[in-house]
Amino acid sequence: MTRRTDAHPELVRPDVQAPFFSTWRVGTPQRQRQTVDAIARTWERRPWPADDLLGYHVYTGHDGSTLLHHSQWASEQAYESFAKTRRQERVDEIDTAVPGIERLGLGRYRRYRSSTRANNGTAPVPGCIVIVDVEFEGPDPERQRAWVDAVFEALESEPEPHPGGISAHFHLSTDGTRVLNYAEWESAEAHIDALAAPGDGVGSATAQWERVQNWPGMTSGGGVSRYEHALGLVPR
């Protein structure tokens, strides 16, 4: 069966070989809440769809309009089987409850590298999830990895790390064109304060960060979005 949980996903699970991300536009904060409730009802009244689906999480956008979906699959093949046999009935029930949802596409990724702040004792529960979406001109898996590696070099040389950051998990799209950073912050205010500090983005004005921000072939991508974890679904 399906069980609801308040726990955030474990991004570094080695058995998650196919992490997927997608965004829905629903329009208003009220419709955000209605859609989350409809997803929960739809999934909880049905058996868990596949052993290879390890977790499904939904987040409300701080823009008051969008939902982020993160599903953790053991393989793409398992998702394809689910999509052919069990996905549509869930979509139909959710759309009946909340008509007019705009689905903006599914991104297929592989996690490449993660960075977690050292903690003395229990790690803080993230109060805000920040998604950084970077797009490149054309597929190039080597460029994806090189850019992420450059980000880590900039992080390691950062002279004034901003408080409030918990972790960063960099995912490479399977088509070779995008990088998605799933970053956990203690609060939205901590992330806003980091963006307001000197420098471009959360990094200081260093040569390493300038290299990251001016990487050849990088386009604007989807930018930076803040979310709050609203729903976790896992097998019972």
Side-chain angles (χ1 to χ4, degrees), residues 8-235:
H8 286 244
E10 182 183 347
L11 274 293
V12 297
R13 286 186 61 165
D15 50 350
V16 176
Q17 295 297 309
F20 292 173
F21 295 88
S22 64
T23 306
W24 294 1
R25 183 176 292 122
V26 297
T28 67
Q30 180 182 7
R31 283 172 56 84
Q32 283 180 318
R33 294 189 295 271
Q34 291 172 342
T35 306
V36 170
D37 290 343
I39 293 169
R41 289 194 306 269
T42 299
W43 279 69
E44 288 178 318
R45 70 178 54 173
R46 289 174 170 81
W48 190 248
D51 290 341
D52 280 348
L53 176 58
L54 308 174
Y56 171 36
H57 296 263
V58 183
Y59 310 74
T60 52
H62 285 201
D63 60 2
S65 174
T66 55
L67 298 177
L68 174 72
H69 302 254
H70 173 41
S71 54
Q72 297 179 299
W73 292 89
S75 69
E76 284 200 43
Q77 292 76 15
Y79 168 76
E80 296 296 349
S81 177
F82 163 75
K84 290 177 181 178
T85 60
R86 299 188 176 183
R87 179 178 180 272
Q88 193 59 47
E89 64 179 6
R90 288 168 164 79
V91 169
D92 291 344
E93 184 169 334
I94 294 165
D95 283 353
T96 298
V98 189
I101 295 171
E102 182 181 0
R103 293 174 174 82
L104 305 180
L106 177 70
R108 305 178 184 222
Y109 291 85
R110 300 286 185 273
R111 188 180 64 85
Y112 175 50
R113 294 185 68 176
S114 294
S115 174
T116 302
R117 185 183 73 191
N119 294 289
N120 296 322
T122 304
V125 175
C128 179
I129 302 301
V130 177
I131 299 295
V132 182
D133 181 22
V134 175
E135 184 178 14
F136 296 94
E137 296 175 346
D140 188 341
E142 183 177 346
R143 178 169 54 189
Q144 286 176 303
R145 294 189 294 270
W147 183 81
V148 174
D149 293 342
V151 173
F152 272 73
E153 292 176 12
L155 288 169
E156 291 164 0
S157 64
E158 173 60 52
E160 298 181 12
H162 296 289
I166 299 172
S167 67
H169 304 274
F170 288 84
H171 298 73
L172 312 181
S173 66
T174 58
D175 66 2
T177 66
R178 309 183 84 91
V179 172
L180 183 147
N181 176 19
Y182 178 112
E184 297 175 312
W185 286 76
E186 291 183 8
S187 66
E189 290 73 19
H191 180 248
I192 293 169
D193 289 345
L195 290 177
D200 188 0
V202 298
S204 300
T206 64
Q208 290 86 351
W209 280 116
E210 183 178 356
R211 178 170 175 252
V212 166
Q213 293 148 5
N214 295 282
W215 199 265
M218 185 174 68
T219 66
S220 59
V224 179
S225 302
R226 285 184 288 270
Y227 295 91
E228 181 176 344
H229 185 261
L231 175 67
L233 298 168
V234 295

